[in-house]
């Protein structure tokens, strides 16, 4: 398997497959730093700080499979479709990325082959194997977000992102809302309209599988104490959670196009 993706606990007994699209700020040596200084590589523009430790602890607690990207989103964003304008961002938030400017078609395809394709191939293999074995499968992606974005404060410590198929999101949101003192963002600070739902669309929604995206504000999970708190809270919820009954909602991509099911 490619060094750009890691699959942990492939035979996990849980119905959940946990995905961490932005787990790493690693850049292969051939990229240098893409023209950025070391401090920039620690920022959210390069990865989702804290997301991987939460995802790892959840996977361990649930006996779930974990699929993680091992290359920085600055090289290529695995949670974007190949046609997205920010697949390889020349500007991230307000920061210019010199090493991503004016890439040739061959250079872009090399980035796809480096990281994007191995990551999605790995998820596809895991999900396809499970379905072929008749195993119940639900997809959950774990991300983190900044407390302030372009000068605007974000009050939610956690957000749950979903599209019109809310079979997993509705009971998850309800469980979080029953806890004292947690302001749950519902399709905040992002929604599928912001084109952040691609991985779940591609592997879950296209197959009619229940799925949801978790966003944790990264000042909640900078160190082990916060990471364990949120991982254990979410593990407890998912251990008892059952998706709402009913058929999967019709699947449309984030831009509103009807999509062909893989099922």
């Amino acid at each position: 398997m490619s060094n750009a993706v890691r699959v942990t606990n492939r035979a996990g007994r849980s119905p959940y497959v946990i995905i961490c699209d932005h787990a790493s700020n690693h850049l292969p040596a051939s990229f240098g730093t893409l023209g950025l200084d070391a401090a920039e590589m620690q920022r959210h523009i390069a990865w989702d700080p804290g997301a991987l430790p939460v995802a790892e602890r959840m996977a361990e607690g649930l006996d779930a499979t974990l699929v993680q990207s091992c290359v920085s989103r600055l090289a290529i964003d695995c949670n974007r479709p190949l046609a997205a304008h920010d697949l390889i961002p020349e500007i991230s938030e307000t920061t210019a990325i010199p090493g991503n400017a004016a890439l040739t078609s061959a250079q872009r395809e090399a980035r796809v082959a480096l990281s994007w394709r191995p990551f999605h191939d790995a998820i596809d293999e895991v999900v396809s194997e499970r379905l072929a074995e008749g195993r119940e499968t639900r997809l959950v992606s774990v991300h983190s977000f900044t407390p302030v974005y372009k000068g605007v404060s974000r009050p939610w410590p956690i957000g749950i992102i979903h599209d019109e198929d809310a079979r997993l999101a509705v009971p998850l949101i309800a469980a979080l809302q029953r806890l004292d003192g947690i302001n749950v963002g519902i399709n905040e600070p992002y929604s599928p309209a912001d084109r952040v739902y691609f991985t779940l669309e591609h592997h879950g929604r296209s197959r009619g599988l229940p799925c949801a995206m978790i966003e944790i504000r990264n000042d909640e999970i900078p160190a082990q104490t916060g990471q364990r708190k949120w991982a254990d809270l979410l593990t407890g919820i998912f251990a008892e959670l059952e998706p709402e009954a009913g058929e999967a909602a019709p699947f449309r991509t984030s831009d509103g196009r009807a999509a062909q099911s893989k099922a």
Side-chain angles (χ1 to χ4, degrees):
M1 180 175 289
S2 165
N3 291 332
V5 61
R6 180 175 297 126
V7 178
T8 305
N9 195 25
R10 194 179 193 108
R13 293 170 295 175
S14 171
Y16 292 100
V17 174
I18 298 175
I19 299 166
C20 201
D21 309 69
H22 303 142
S24 177
N25 62 352
H26 171 72
L27 285 172
S30 59
F31 287 76
T33 63
L34 295 175
L36 302 173
D37 63 35
E40 299 284 8
M41 295 303 300
Q42 299 302 316
R43 292 177 52 214
H44 181 262
I45 62 171
W47 61 332
D48 279 357
L52 179 60
V54 172
E56 288 177 324
R57 191 171 175 91
M58 288 176 64
E60 182 178 0
L62 292 166
D63 190 18
T65 301
L66 171 64
V67 184
Q68 69 190 78
S69 172
C70 300
V71 175
S72 171
R73 71 202 306 170
L74 290 176
I76 187 165
D77 193 330
C78 289
N79 193 28
R80 297 291 187 273
L82 290 175
H85 71 89
D86 55 351
L87 176 71
I88 302 173
E90 295 188 21
I91 297 176
S92 184
E93 297 181 11
T94 60
T95 302
I97 317 299
N100 287 350
L103 297 182
T104 66
S105 296
Q107 288 171 322
R108 291 179 68 84
E109 181 52 39
R111 302 274 188 104
V112 172
L114 166 73
S115 178
W116 190 99
R117 190 163 287 118
F119 178 69
H120 288 288
D121 284 350
I123 300 172
D124 190 63
E125 288 171 7
V126 166
V127 173
S128 295
E129 286 172 5
R130 294 174 65 94
L131 297 182
E133 294 166 3
R135 300 173 63 192
E136 183 177 7
T137 300
R138 311 166 188 168
L139 303 186
V140 174
S141 62
V142 178
H143 295 255
S144 69
F145 66 95
T146 56
V148 178
Y149 180 72
K150 295 185 177 179
V152 178
S153 294
R154 291 152 146 186
W156 319 277
I158 188 169
I160 305 302
I161 316 305
H162 67 88
D163 63 6
E164 63 269 27
D165 189 343
R167 289 174 295 163
L168 194 57
V170 164
L172 174 56
I173 291 166
L176 288 165
Q177 289 177 330
R178 286 193 290 268
L179 302 173
D180 289 338
I182 296 182
N183 179 12
V184 183
I186 302 173
N187 279 330
E188 297 285 2
Y190 308 106
S191 79
D194 298 309
R195 301 171 300 101
V196 300
Y197 212 62
F198 171 72
T199 296
L200 294 180
E201 287 181 347
H202 190 58
H203 298 285
R205 292 289 284 117
S206 63
R207 292 178 165 99
L209 302 176
C211 56
M213 180 175 174
I214 297 170
E215 287 273 3
I216 304 171
R217 202 174 62 210
N218 64 29
D219 62 346
E220 291 278 323
I221 50 173
Q224 283 190 358
T225 299
Q227 293 160 4
R228 288 176 175 175
K229 166 195 163 183
W230 280 104
D232 291 350
L233 185 155
L234 290 163
T235 297
I237 290 173
F238 279 114
E240 302 295 330
L241 186 147
E242 287 297 328
E244 286 197 327
E247 296 295 322
F251 170 44
R252 291 181 176 272
T253 60
S254 297
D255 60 7
R257 293 180 294 105
Q260 190 70 34
S261 172
K262 291 183 180 181

